[in-house]
Amino acid sequence: MSEIILKKWYDAIREAQSVESIEDIRISVFGKKGVLAEEFAKMKTASDEEKSKIAQELNIHKNELMNELNSRKIVLQTVELQEAMKAEAIDVSLFSSQSQAGALHPVIETMDRIVEYFSSMNFAIKTGNMVEDDFNNFEALNLPKYHPARDMQDTFYFKDEMLLRTHTSPVQIRTMMGTKPPIRMIAPGAVFRRDYDITHTPMFHQVEGLLVDEEGKVSFANLKYILEDFLKYMFGDVKVRFRPSFFPFTEPSAEVDISCVFCSGDGCRVCSKTGWLEVLGCGIVDPNVFEAVKYKNVSGYAFGLGVERFAMLIHQIGDLRSLFEGDIKLLEQFR
Ligand code: DAH
């Protein structure tokens, strides 16, 4: 390998000003069709004796060039990194003329709207406790020890019969234990279950409702009226239907469906071709619940709903978990 060629490449390496140009040099020297490959190819015509001499020499040059190239590359990488850090540095004390307005999280926004409706109907807002005891979360709600809702699969338990509330229904109990009837309350808040898939997260939000008055004063018709009105307030012009169902704390109980907001009731993937979406559970308060809180001569209705489900239907969000990932791109759409 001639001195001139060697000098040319050493100079090129020393003078290279970017990692990119170093990479170009690497390809020109060490690549398949590079200078060294060319030099090695020339060996073919040499005698055996010469061959080993040329090979030895070329290998020495190869190693030296490689060392030179690598050390220049490290220098340039360091310089480029420092420049990038300087260029991208953020001075958080600077005033920005482009500050963007934030937005409420879709779950909070939906919860606010639900609360707004019931506040306007004179329902008081109660919060209760997220860490609950067995009595408030289960026993007093007519969910006896053997009830499947107490399954270890569903409930996060602490020691001494304490747990993370699995629904907002215990706020009914706490409110009735602390106040005399009549009662008109809703309880918005977080609840917890051991569940995780596209329609379940271990923490989600519910709004519970309870109305209690003198015996004979509260009917299923009252419940039906307010829930229909509420669902139209939330979803606009939808059809509402009540289906008989079962909850331990209400008798009779119903599940409430609205006509599918995606296909207007024609049947689609979201409503499993039924044209209906289940949105609520409700019923007339079971006498056993009143007995547990020592209420006498009263009647009442109760209901409970999942806030995330409402938010998903209102905003047409497919995966419940995406609501809790804090992805700015998703959240920005709600500004
Ligand atoms: N607590 C129920 C749940 O978590 C929801 C519910 C259904 C609440 C019916 C009620 C009710 O007050 O009457 O699934």
Side-chain angles (χ1 to χ4, degrees), residues 167 169 172 193 206 208 247 249-250 281-283 302-304:
H167 50 181
S169 305
Q172 287 188 24
R193 289 185 199 172
Q206 287 188 335
E208 184 80 12
F247 296 103
F249 24 89
T250 43
C282 67
F303 56 88

Side-chain angles (χ1 to χ4, degrees), residues 54-332:
I54 298 172
Q56 257 179 12
E57 241 173 56
L58 275 178
N59 277 326
I60 291 169
H61 289 317
K62 186 179 162 184
N63 288 338
E64 282 176 356
L65 275 166
M66 187 60 100
N67 287 342
E68 193 73 13
L69 188 109
N70 284 340
S71 42
R72 183 69 188 151
K73 189 172 169 185
I74 291 170
V75 171
L76 290 170
Q77 272 174 335
T78 314
V79 171
E80 280 181 15
L81 181 67
Q82 275 167 354
E83 273 169 8
M85 291 207 304
K86 222 191 260 171
E88 289 165 22
I90 296 169
D91 181 352
V92 289
S93 68
L94 277 182
F95 174 77
S96 164
S97 56
Q98 288 190 354
S99 57
Q100 293 177 335
L104 288 177
H105 190 278
V107 171
I108 299 301
E109 179 226 55
T110 306
M111 187 125 95
D112 283 355
R113 230 173 114 68
I114 297 169
V115 170
E116 186 179 83
Y117 175 85
F118 287 103
S119 300
S120 80
M121 293 290 182
N122 268 331
F123 282 70
I125 295 150
K126 304 283 178 186
T127 46
N129 295 5
M130 290 187 204
V131 177
E132 261 301 356
D133 56 28
D134 184 272
F135 176 79
N136 287 302
N137 196 79
F138 293 129
E139 195 79 42
L141 286 161
N142 199 26
L143 275 140
K145 287 268 187 277
Y146 54 78
H147 197 283
R150 293 184 169 212
D151 198 317
M152 296 291 273
Q153 296 302 313
D154 294 333
T155 309
F156 290 105
Y157 282 99
F158 298 114
K159 278 189 288 190
D160 307 325
E161 307 231 312
M162 296 301 282
L163 45 90
L164 286 176
R165 68 178 179 198
T166 54
H167 50 181
T168 41
S169 305
V171 188
Q172 287 188 24
I173 304 302
R174 283 184 175 273
T175 307
M176 288 191 279
M177 301 280 271
T179 346
K180 281 189 198 139
I183 285 175
R184 252 173 190 264
M185 58 137 262
I186 55 163
V191 302
F192 307 86
R193 289 185 199 172
R194 290 175 53 165
D195 236 339
Y196 189 69
D197 59 38
I198 84 166
T199 50
H200 298 89
T201 47
M203 188 280 307
F204 60 103
H205 299 82
Q206 287 188 335
V207 176
E208 184 80 12
L210 173 71
L211 183 140
V212 182
D213 211 324
E214 285 165 28
E215 192 157 24
K217 270 203 172 176
V218 185
S219 72
F220 206 97
N222 300 147
L223 173 65
K224 196 161 178 268
Y225 173 82
I226 196 164
L227 289 182
E228 265 176 21
D229 192 52
F230 162 64
L231 290 171
K232 292 199 164 141
Y233 176 79
M234 293 302 290
F235 294 104
D237 190 20
V238 287
K239 279 189 231 140
V240 177
R241 78 173 183 189
F242 286 68
R243 261 184 304 109
S245 184
F246 173 81
F247 296 103
F249 24 89
T250 43
E251 180 59 37
S253 304
E255 274 172 332
V256 186
D257 299 341
I258 56 169
S259 51
C260 180
V261 290
F262 294 90
C263 63
S264 311
D266 293 342
C268 67
R269 196 181 52 83
V270 182
C271 61
S272 310
K273 303 239 156 45
T274 62
W276 295 96
L277 297 165
E278 185 202 318
V279 290
L280 266 172
C282 67
I284 296 297
V285 179
D286 192 291
N288 287 344
V289 174
F290 285 140
E291 200 173 303
V293 298
K294 305 192 169 62
Y295 268 23
K296 287 200 174 76
N297 308 322
V298 288
S299 57
Y301 64 64
F303 56 88
L305 63 91
V307 182
E308 280 76 6
R309 178 146 174 85
F310 272 56
M312 285 172 77
L313 295 177
I314 291 168
H315 295 294
Q316 316 216 333
I317 298 166
D319 185 340
L320 172 59
R321 294 171 295 193
S322 65
L323 285 172
F324 301 115
E325 278 164 1
D327 180 352
I328 289 290
K329 285 210 186 84
L330 180 107
L331 297 174
E332 268 181 340

